[in-house]
Amino acid sequence: MAVQEENGQIQIHTENIFPIIKKAVYSGHEVFLRELVSNGVDAISKRRMASMAGDCLEGEDGKIQVRIDREKKTLTISDNGIGMTADEVKRYINQVAFSSAEDFLEKYKQNSEAIIGHFGLGFYSSFMVAERVEISTFSARPDSSAVHWSCDGSPNYSLSEGQRTEAGTDIILHLLEDELEYLEPTRIKTLINTYCDFMAVPVQLEGETINKMNAPWRRSARELDDQDYIDLYRYLYPFQGDPLLWVHLNTDYPYSLQGILFFPKQTGRADWEKGEIKLYCNQVFVSDSIKEVVPRYLLPLRGVLDSPDIPLNVSRSALQTDRRVRSIGQFVSKKVADKLRVLKDESPDQYAEAWDSLAPFVKIGAMEDEKFAEQVSDLILFQTTASTDDNPDVLSANAKSYTTITNYKNRQASENQNRVLYCTDEIAQAAALSLWKSQGAEVIFAETVLDSQFIPWLESQENELTFQRVDSELDRSLQDDQPELSDREGETKGESLRTLVKESLSNDKVTVQVQALKGGADAPAALILLPEQMRRMNDIGALMEQRLPGLPDHHVLLVNQQHPLVEELLKLESGSVVIADGATSPSHQLAVDLAHHLYDLARLAVGGLEPEEIGEFQSKATSLMSRLLQQRG
């Protein structure tokens, strides 16, 4: 059928459409190539289906060709798809995909930050980079004629008979002067790799196929082996090592979603705001920011989500409230939980080995998502002092032992089943940790900043559960309860020692306790105890002020009167004499100074000495040693 030549206006009711396209709809001009290539792939797919139905001629294998003409300053995107008749050009091009001007402007005149996806305009994105656009097309349907369409970026267009002789479409872009970067082959290659890499149709630049084409997430998990997954990870995230594990996603109902998500090995860096998962729509790259699609706690995962059912041309706020999108997020989180459960059940040692890298995802997810918390409640591990020798439910990996809180509780005596002893710093809490371990107590380790929030959350989930840090208080199991004898003044050794230490400190904010601890010389001479709730308040205050938590002003100094050093201190004090005029005897003053030094040692052990106090501490220590040697002489 011959094409009747005509001139006319694109059917919109305003002349503002092209400035809006250029400035507001797309956040980056480069996506025009994605749109045009995607349209070509769609045309190839339509031809394949139409030929199977006998509605058009079957062509060669589909392909997209990109050609650069530096002299003419044109970029051409060609396909051998179904092509268009003159009526179809009018319908699909001139009527702006059936949108009236009012609908179009209402939908797209927002600022660029409000538009998330950018699919839907397709062809018209070409006017972001071109001053004039031509279409040369030939329909594969019988009795068709070639069509040529041209537009200079205004509502005016021309339509005439074309010169193309084979089915398909050429889009010829006459580039704007400030968009000539798209005449550079390396720039075009980069864009093809970014947006079109996994399209099932070859995309060629000057005859060379640029895109990878193979999209593993579109295949069944049964068709892939471990190396296929690792190769994809290495391709998407070069120089990042290999992944810990992966989750293959595939569902057709109530929405279509395919994807592969990877747990990266712990790197100390995680993007909890934007994310590193790549969003695709029918194998076309859309975005690497998907915080509206998956829950925040899964953002640091890596990989691909591919779904045609995520509404892309909507505002971010609308996307966050979209029921279908929320459902997709819940599906993804459930599949992640299922994968972790299978790994723990079938390969518990491998699960324990990966736990340090998995922990942030799982713990944050549990705190932020009630459903996820239920799914992973028995998958949360803590490092423990318990041995695997007599405890089959303790997991071993990386020379560490791991346990769940439920299994920890089951190993405790009935009176302590709801108390969980924990340590946050093996060095600062070494004395208290050693004391508990010496009496056979099991201690778990909660060494990350995250655990300062996670532990209170765990307590809130189980009302009777209480976490007690090893340096918060000591129970009677660590104390030697032998009765003390009183001296002639009716004062016990413990009372005398407490009086001496209180005098040496002259600080009402420090509570002095004197106890006889089991373990003799192996138990610490003195240690700082921090009441649990008081310490937590101090930690919260430090977090809010964005500083490291220091030693709270109010704390407990526990002195072990069973320790040989403390016993000698008492002997020194008892040997002091009263001097006339109220003066202090050298022995008493030495005992006072030694008692204060004992306190400083306890502070030093928990990092409680301020930097400016370290020098003073060293000077005092040197002076004390000199005086002790003189006393001996």
Side-chain angles (χ1 to χ4, degrees), residues 101-121:
E102 289 81 2
D103 290 342
F104 186 89
L105 290 173
E106 181 63 30
K107 201 170 185 180
Y108 297 116
K109 68 183 178 182
Q110 309 167 63
N111 63 58
S112 60
E113 293 301 316
I115 303 297
I116 185 171
H118 335 303
F119 269 59
L121 299 182

Side-chain angles (χ1 to χ4, degrees), residues 480-492:
D480 190 335
D481 291 331
Q482 293 181 3
E484 287 191 84
L485 298 177
S486 301
D487 60 16
R488 282 177 293 182
E489 284 76 28
E491 192 174 51
T492 65

Side-chain angles (χ1 to χ4, degrees), residues 13-71:
H13 307 307
T14 177
E15 295 188 3
N16 290 329
I17 183 170
F18 290 105
I20 290 170
I21 289 172
K22 292 179 181 179
K23 295 180 181 179
V25 174
Y26 292 89
S27 58
H29 288 188
E30 64 184 32
V31 295
F32 81 90
L33 188 69
R34 177 192 70 186
E35 298 291 306
L36 298 181
V37 172
S38 297
N39 285 349
V41 172
D42 288 344
I44 290 169
S45 177
K46 289 176 181 176
R47 181 174 185 177
R48 185 183 307 116
M49 290 186 288
S51 66
M52 291 174 62
D55 294 336
C56 74
L57 298 173
E58 182 177 0
E60 299 178 355
D61 291 340
K63 64 181 177 181
I64 307 292
Q65 293 181 302
V66 182
R67 296 189 298 275
I68 295 171
D69 190 324
R70 289 180 179 274
E71 291 185 6

Side-chain angles (χ1 to χ4, degrees), residues 52 118 190 274 313 520:
M52 291 174 62
H118 335 303
T190 299
K274 178 183 176 184
N313 283 326

Side-chain angles (χ1 to χ4, degrees), residues 484 492-502 504 512-517 520-527 557-575 587 590-602 628:
E484 287 191 84
T492 65
K493 288 184 178 181
E495 291 167 344
S496 299
L497 185 59
R498 184 175 182 276
T499 300
L500 173 65
V501 175
K502 288 286 291 182
S504 73
V512 178
Q513 295 180 3
V514 177
Q515 295 178 9
L517 300 179
D522 292 331
L527 69 159
L557 173 65
L558 184 141
V559 181
N560 176 16
Q561 70 182 75
Q562 292 273 84
H563 195 279
L565 175 62
V566 177
E567 291 180 341
E568 291 298 320
L569 178 62
L570 267 176
K571 289 178 183 179
L572 178 65
E573 167 63 6
S574 63
S587 293
L590 181 59
V592 169
D593 291 345
L594 282 170
H596 198 286
H597 189 65
L598 201 64
Y599 170 62
D600 285 342
L601 285 170
L628 284 170

Side-chain angles (χ1 to χ4, degrees), residues 340-358:
L340 297 180
R341 179 170 302 282
V342 168
L343 181 63
K344 183 174 181 290
D345 291 345
E346 297 181 357
S347 305
D349 289 343
Q350 183 183 349
Y351 182 78
E353 187 174 350
W355 175 249
D356 287 345
S357 293
L358 300 176

Side-chain angles (χ1 to χ4, degrees), residues 10 12 14-25 93-94 96 104-105 123-128 130-131 133 149 151-157:
I10 295 171
I12 56 174
T14 177
E15 295 188 3
N16 290 329
I17 183 170
F18 290 105
I20 290 170
I21 289 172
K22 292 179 181 179
K23 295 180 181 179
V25 174
I93 302 300
N94 293 350
V96 194
F104 186 89
L105 290 173
F123 166 75
Y124 277 92
S125 64
S126 57
F127 286 98
M128 293 190 300
E131 61 183 3
V133 179
W149 178 96
C151 179
D152 61 2
S154 71
N156 299 310
Y157 71 88

